[in-house]
Amino acid sequence: MELPQLTLVSGKGGVGKTTFACAIALDQAQTNTDETVLLLSTDPAHSLGDVLLLPVDDEARSHPDLPNLRIRALDAERLLAIFKADYGHVLETLVERGSFVENDDLSPVWDMDWPGLNELMGLLEIQRILRAGEADRVVVDMAPSGHTLNLFGLMDFLDTLLASLRLFQDKHRYMIESLSGRYEQDDADTFLDDMTADLAAGRSQLQDPHRTACWVVAIPEPLSLHETERFVEALSELQIPLGGILVNRLTGSAPQRHQLEQFAQITAADTLVGLPLQAQEPVGRAALQTLLTGLAPTEVWQDPQIQTQPLAWPEPVSPGLPDFITEGRRLVILGGKGGVGKTTVAAAIAWGQAQQHPNANVRVMSIDPAHSLGDVLETPLSNEAIAITENLTAQEVDADVVLEQFRDDYLWELAEMMSGDTGDDRLQLAYGPEAWRQIVAQALPGIDEMLSLITVIDLLEQDQEQLIILDTAPTGHLLRFLEMPTALGDWLAWIFKLWIKYQDVVGRTELMSRLRGLRKQVMNAQKRLTDPAHTEFIGVVQNQSAILAEATRLTATLNDMSVPQYYIVHNRYAPGQDLPPNTFPEQTVIRLPDLPDSVHPQMQVAGASQLLFAKSPALVR
């Protein structure tokens, strides 16, 4: 394959992004032996090491067989420490110049686990690598599509943030010139000029079709098709060049041929290629380099002579899931690597519980920024709950809608407070609250997890549903959601500390009262997330080494966070293909057989619900 300097690989979770990124990086290194190729992961739950069968961390190391191929998975915490060492002082100075806060009171902000950290550090590091010329070609294994779009969206956020910081500096310059009659540039001016130039160069690189291409990986299933359509449209709006669409795991069955026809109608995709379903999981150098030999135009897989197996529903496999409502659970969270079937399992649990308890209100909601819940339920969903049956509602959290309400409730006034705005028009120029309003008006990076938490908290506080089932983002961003009560609690505690010190200057007593109420809600949510009588976490896996490796790490992390987990759903189970012994010794494995791919998604949900709760699938129509 002929690739540009920067190749980005993304798409719906679990479709083979990491495998494809590793395969093309190996191919580029072997084809271009005189060039340095860097394979980079920005996914907080990366699987590079699981696919390459090599240890991978934040240090770029050469592949043992290909010295010109370097492999690295970004560590956001380490990058933040470096960023803080390089720019922390000047940033604190700029914020101090635009607010009522003294420099020393800003230092604790660096110690907080801010949302959006992975995307922000990832974007800045990719741009630094390209500026520094550390590699001739860079292949980036991105996070799933929703969080990849968050990363690209950071370009606009950083532009606005720099413009706001420049307003802070303008205020400082105005005051110095007013007092002394002259002004000399300082480190803050240099930082703003350099960062503005770097970001402009980075944007130019990302939007240049001669230097950058984003490849979208998909599988021939309705959920992946719909997400790919939305993702490609979003890339076009962001002016990120599309390299092509790779449809993975092709067999040529009639349902797949129908899906390929739909993929071919995505007008922005000039290149549509496919890879066959592999007999064995492609891990390690030899398998990965063989993989690309099967790459071919998707027309190859549209042969109507290929026979499709007759429709047959599998039999349930014991044990099944318990009756969560009878056991008193209020919140069930589904998690795992992207593409393992979390959305279908979440919808199936909600469907099954609503059927078992016709007098109980059940809500299934997606907090993944790349929603698929409406696709599996075959119902358009939004931020407002939609009735699926008489007692089952569904919802896809819309971060833009929730953020606008959050601005109205807290952020606009908080921005005025941070600026030191007293409401006196004579002081507007000196205090410049407009800069803070510009920052607040942006879709803050990584805010999806915080807003999702607030939405869930509100729903739990209303106490109108007997059971809420959450369809979450893939592993790395799920963990950010689970960590969000602590992060948001720390953020609010810092605000309270500032207010106590400066309350005579800023007032805002009523705002502090509302923020205290929010913090109380957040702390209650934190208790509920770790209460096994209230919350059930269910992991979803498939029997593939990379998926199981990530699920094992997730299980260990959940244990450290005191989040209870008693069940693992083994999706797409086939008789005789159980998970390796002792993979999850503390959990009960619930085996969900592979569902017919020729039926509509909602019928798959209904069938899966009966299989998960160990009832006969004969009732499915």
Side-chain angles (χ1 to χ4, degrees), residues 156-168 170 403 407 411-412 415-416 419 432-444:
D156 291 336
F157 172 77
L158 289 174
D159 285 344
T160 299
L161 178 62
L162 283 175
S164 299
L165 293 176
R166 199 172 288 280
L167 285 176
F168 296 163
D170 289 345
L403 177 56
R407 287 189 185 111
L411 292 183
W412 293 126
E416 292 175 354
S419 72
E434 180 58 29
W436 286 99
R437 294 193 188 103
Q438 286 182 7
I439 295 173
V440 169
Q442 287 292 299
L444 307 177

Side-chain angles (χ1 to χ4, degrees), residues 160-238:
T160 299
L161 178 62
L162 283 175
S164 299
L165 293 176
R166 199 172 288 280
L167 285 176
F168 296 163
Q169 186 69 353
D170 289 345
K171 167 203 163 183
H172 169 72
R173 181 184 297 109
Y174 170 82
M175 296 178 70
I176 294 297
E177 289 178 342
S178 298
L179 293 172
S180 66
R182 56 180 301 209
Y183 176 78
E184 293 184 1
Q185 287 202 339
D186 59 15
D187 290 344
D189 294 293
T190 302
F191 167 80
L192 290 170
D193 291 342
D194 290 348
M195 188 63 73
T196 299
D198 289 346
L199 289 175
R203 182 188 291 271
S204 176
Q205 164 86 46
L206 286 172
Q207 296 180 340
D208 185 345
H210 300 293
R211 295 190 291 166
T212 297
C214 182
W215 274 82
V216 183
V217 183
I219 53 177
E221 295 180 357
L223 301 191
S224 181
L225 167 66
H226 296 320
E227 185 163 323
T228 300
E229 290 172 334
R230 294 188 289 264
F231 187 44
V232 168
E233 182 179 355
L235 290 177
S236 177
E237 293 174 356
L238 290 164

Side-chain angles (χ1 to χ4, degrees), residues 530-552:
T530 56
D531 180 359
H534 183 278
T535 300
E536 192 84 50
F537 181 90
I538 300 176
V540 182
V541 301
Q542 294 180 21
N543 196 1
Q544 298 177 23
S545 60
I547 292 173
L548 296 178
E550 183 169 312
T552 302

Side-chain angles (χ1 to χ4, degrees), residues 32-210:
N32 304 288
T33 55
D34 58 337
E35 294 183 348
T36 299
V37 178
L38 174 63
L39 172 60
L40 191 69
S41 176
T42 63
D43 191 334
H46 72 89
S47 298
L48 287 183
D50 301 327
V51 173
L52 291 167
L53 301 181
L54 294 171
V56 176
D57 56 24
D58 195 28
E59 181 181 345
R61 292 188 174 91
S62 294
H63 190 284
D65 300 327
L66 294 168
N68 65 319
L69 173 60
R70 305 174 71 197
I71 305 156
R72 178 185 174 196
L74 296 184
D75 181 339
E77 292 185 4
R78 191 183 77 86
L79 291 173
L80 178 63
I82 295 171
F83 188 82
K84 176 184 175 182
D86 291 343
Y87 305 116
H89 176 71
V90 69
L91 281 170
E92 289 175 2
T93 298
L94 281 165
V95 175
E96 181 184 27
R97 289 171 178 176
S99 73
F100 65 87
V101 182
E102 295 178 359
N103 194 298
D104 291 343
D105 294 321
L106 294 168
S107 297
V109 177
W110 290 109
D111 299 325
M112 298 181 192
D113 187 10
W114 285 98
L117 178 63
N118 296 91
E119 285 89 353
L120 178 57
M121 291 298 108
L123 178 65
L124 295 177
E125 183 65 3
I126 290 172
Q127 294 184 346
R128 187 201 65 78
I129 289 169
L130 292 169
R131 287 197 311 274
E134 292 185 0
D136 299 296
R137 297 176 188 266
V138 180
V139 178
V140 185
D141 174 32
M142 310 286 287
S145 53
H147 291 91
T148 292
L149 293 177
N150 285 347
L151 183 145
F152 293 147
L154 280 173
M155 293 187 294
D156 291 336
F157 172 77
L158 289 174
D159 285 344
T160 299
L161 178 62
L162 283 175
S164 299
L165 293 176
R166 199 172 288 280
L167 285 176
F168 296 163
Q169 186 69 353
D170 289 345
K171 167 203 163 183
H172 169 72
R173 181 184 297 109
Y174 170 82
M175 296 178 70
I176 294 297
E177 289 178 342
S178 298
L179 293 172
S180 66
R182 56 180 301 209
Y183 176 78
E184 293 184 1
Q185 287 202 339
D186 59 15
D187 290 344
D189 294 293
T190 302
F191 167 80
L192 290 170
D193 291 342
D194 290 348
M195 188 63 73
T196 299
D198 289 346
L199 289 175
R203 182 188 291 271
S204 176
Q205 164 86 46
L206 286 172
Q207 296 180 340
D208 185 345
H210 300 293

Side-chain angles (χ1 to χ4, degrees), residues 426-484:
R426 295 171 298 175
L427 299 178
Q428 291 299 307
L429 179 61
Y431 284 95
E434 180 58 29
W436 286 99
R437 294 193 188 103
Q438 286 182 7
I439 295 173
V440 169
Q442 287 292 299
L444 307 177
I447 202 168
D448 300 81
E449 286 83 7
M450 185 175 77
L451 297 178
S452 297
L453 173 68
I454 291 170
T455 302
V456 174
I457 289 173
D458 287 343
L459 201 57
L460 291 171
E461 292 283 335
Q462 293 169 20
D463 201 28
Q464 294 179 354
E465 273 76 25
Q466 278 66 50
L467 184 65
I468 300 170
I469 297 94
L470 293 186
D471 172 35
T472 67
T475 303
H477 296 89
L478 163 66
L479 291 175
R480 283 208 326 217
F481 169 78
L482 296 174
E483 293 165 351
M484 193 49 60

